[in-house]
Amino acid sequence: MHNLIHCEDKKSITNASISEIDSFYGRMTIISFQNYILFSSFEDLSYSNHYIKLIYPNIVLTEQLSNPILSAIDCMNGNSNSVLNLLVIGSTFQISVWNELLKIPYTKTSTYKR
């Protein structure tokens, strides 16, 4: 089960954790804030650091493995019992689409056809 939480105030995002990890898909940067995954990218650490500061102007990043980052690693390693709380920026429509996508069971494929 994963949860999407809409980020209402980008300026309230201040202290966050950043980590570079090796995943099955390649080297990846993940940023977490409190109990949420805030950002993930396959770009290098310096690009991710620069980009995230454009979105969240008050953010201060500390390199460390936080619990949300460890949960993301578990999910990428196939542990479907891990819960990810994702802090997202998007319109009401985008968030409703993402919530529908989260209903697709792990390892299953879905189409628009019923």
Side-chain angles (χ1 to χ4, degrees):
M1 172 92 180
H2 304 306
N3 305 303
L4 291 182
I5 294 89
H6 185 244
C7 179
E8 300 288 338
D9 179 16
K10 293 189 275 184
K11 291 183 179 178
S12 68
I13 308 296
T14 53
N15 298 319
S17 301
I18 186 169
S19 260
E20 264 191 316
I21 62 164
D22 289 314
S23 74
F24 175 78
Y25 308 101
R27 191 112 177 113
M28 167 174 209
T29 301
I30 302 177
I31 298 173
S32 69
F33 171 72
Q34 295 177 353
N35 292 321
Y36 307 101
I37 295 293
L38 187 62
F39 175 85
S40 64
S41 171
F42 288 98
E43 300 292 339
D44 65 29
L45 195 62
S46 63
Y47 173 84
S48 298
N49 198 334
H50 171 75
Y51 182 77
I52 200 74
K53 288 180 180 179
L54 293 175
I55 300 170
Y56 303 100
N58 297 331
I59 200 163
V60 175
L61 298 170
T62 303
E63 284 193 51
Q64 69 181 32
L65 277 175
S66 64
N67 285 335
I69 293 173
L70 292 171
S71 290
I73 293 168
D74 276 352
C75 282
M76 286 184 285
N77 288 332
N79 183 352
S80 59
N81 295 324
S82 291
V83 175
L84 289 181
N85 294 312
L86 308 169
L87 194 61
V88 297
I89 298 172
S91 68
T92 303
F93 174 74
Q94 287 172 313
I95 292 171
S96 68
V97 169
W98 296 331
N99 274 318
E100 289 303 311
L101 290 171
L102 290 174
K103 293 178 184 176
I104 300 170
Y106 184 73
T107 73
K108 300 295 180 197
T109 303
S110 185
T111 67
Y112 290 109
K113 280 186 169 181
R114 293 239 172 215

